[in-house]
């Protein structure tokens, strides 16, 4: 038994629909590691129950696992805007959400997050944001999103340890540099509280003061 297996055996069970989605992702999609897993999904659900947001913004839908975790745990009256750049699987995502009891509260937007964000932020007030899209643009997303958030709002940023590559002096690819730039930007920002949770590939929890 691995440590991950031990953790999975000692936390809330993975809902059957999410277990099926996780398996289908690994069977049929490229880069399946991008999918949220059991432990992280339960953490996202618990954080959502703790924060009790009124509206959620997600950047990077992929196969919809994390969006369903947010939907499961969000309070009545909350809804989700989720942005996915790859339109090839848009019909699959809409079918997935339509089949979920709270799927009507998940609004899928297909396109580049940097292009869609100005309109979404102008129309809506978000108090929980999940950033899990193009790592090259994390800092750009942050600079666009933070000014629009109310005091007390949260940003959750995934993959902020990037498999340890943030510490590799020989790693200078665009994605690694993008994560480093974002991490340095957040660390220096006195307008927010922040902590990095070394779970899976790193999750930064940010609260606007």
């Amino acid at each position: 038994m691995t440590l991950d297996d031990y953790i999975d055996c000692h936390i809330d069970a993975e809902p059957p629909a999410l277990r099926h989605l996780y398996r289908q992702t690994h069977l049929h999609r490229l880069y399946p590691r991008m999918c949220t897993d059991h432990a992280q999904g339960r953490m996202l659900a618990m954080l959502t129950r703790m924060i009790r947001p009124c509206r959620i913004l997600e950047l990077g839908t992929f196969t919809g696992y994390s969006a369903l975790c947010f939907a499961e745990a969000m309070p009545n009256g909350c809804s989700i805007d989720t942005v996915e750049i790859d339109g090839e699987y848009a019909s699959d995502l809409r079918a997935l959400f339509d089949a979920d009891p709270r799927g009507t509260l998940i609004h899928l937007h297909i396109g580049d997050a940097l292009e869609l964000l100005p309109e979404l932020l102008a129309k809506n007030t978000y108090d929980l944001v999940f950033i899990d899209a193009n790592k090259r643009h994390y800092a750009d997303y942050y600079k666009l999103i933070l000014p629009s958030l109310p005091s007390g709002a949260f940003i959750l940023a995934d993959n902020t340890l990037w498999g340890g590559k943030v510490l590799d002096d020989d790693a200078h690819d665009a994605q690694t540099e993008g994560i480093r730039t974002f991490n340095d930007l957040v660390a220096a920002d006195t307008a927010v509280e922040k902590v990095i949770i070394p779970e899976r590939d790193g999750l930064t929890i940010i609260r606007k003061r």
Side-chain angles (χ1 to χ4, degrees):
M1 176 182 287
T2 67
L3 186 58
D4 286 343
D5 292 334
Y6 182 86
I7 291 171
D8 286 347
C9 290
H10 289 80
I11 62 175
D12 286 344
E14 186 177 28
L18 290 179
R19 187 182 313 118
H20 176 74
L21 176 59
Y22 187 79
R23 176 160 176 73
Q24 292 301 111
T25 299
H26 280 72
L27 287 174
H28 301 296
R29 292 291 299 270
L30 293 173
Y31 313 114
R33 191 176 182 276
M34 291 167 51
C35 185
T36 298
D37 65 6
H38 174 196
Q40 187 181 44
R42 293 305 86 203
M43 182 167 64
L44 293 179
M46 182 174 287
L47 287 170
T48 304
R49 290 190 176 95
M50 294 166 64
I51 295 168
R52 298 189 58 78
C54 294
R55 194 169 184 105
I56 299 169
L57 173 63
E58 175 182 60
L59 305 184
T61 316
F62 193 43
T63 55
Y65 193 111
S66 52
L68 291 179
C69 292
F70 290 123
E72 167 199 338
M74 66 188 184
N76 291 335
C78 185
S79 61
I80 304 167
D81 288 304
T82 182
V83 178
E84 173 55 42
I85 195 169
D86 187 353
E88 182 177 357
Y89 296 95
S91 59
D92 292 343
L93 285 169
R94 291 193 173 98
L96 175 73
F97 297 151
D98 286 345
D100 188 82
R102 310 191 89 181
T104 57
L105 300 173
I106 305 174
H107 310 291
L108 176 64
H109 305 268
I110 299 297
D112 188 318
L114 286 176
E115 297 176 2
L116 295 177
L117 271 173
E119 182 178 358
L120 287 170
L121 295 171
K123 289 183 176 180
N124 306 289
T125 299
Y126 300 101
D127 41 12
L128 176 58
V129 179
F130 184 48
I131 300 178
D132 191 19
N134 191 329
K135 314 310 170 194
R136 300 170 181 84
H137 298 307
Y138 267 35
D140 299 317
Y141 303 145
Y142 182 78
K143 291 174 184 177
L144 280 172
I145 291 167
L146 188 68
S148 74
L149 299 182
S151 177
F154 285 82
I155 297 174
L156 310 177
D158 200 15
N159 307 120
T160 50
L161 297 180
W162 203 228
K165 290 179 72 176
V166 290
L167 291 178
D168 185 350
D169 292 337
D170 295 324
H172 298 288
D173 60 277
Q175 290 186 320
T176 301
E177 292 292 2
I179 292 293
R180 286 187 183 124
T181 299
F182 171 78
N183 288 342
D184 290 344
L185 176 66
V186 174
D189 191 349
T190 59
V192 298
E193 303 170 63
K194 55 276 191 182
V195 63
I196 297 178
I197 306 297
E199 190 274 336
R200 203 176 181 219
D201 204 16
L203 181 75
T204 300
I205 301 176
I206 303 161
R207 180 183 179 273
K208 186 173 181 179
R209 296 184 189 275

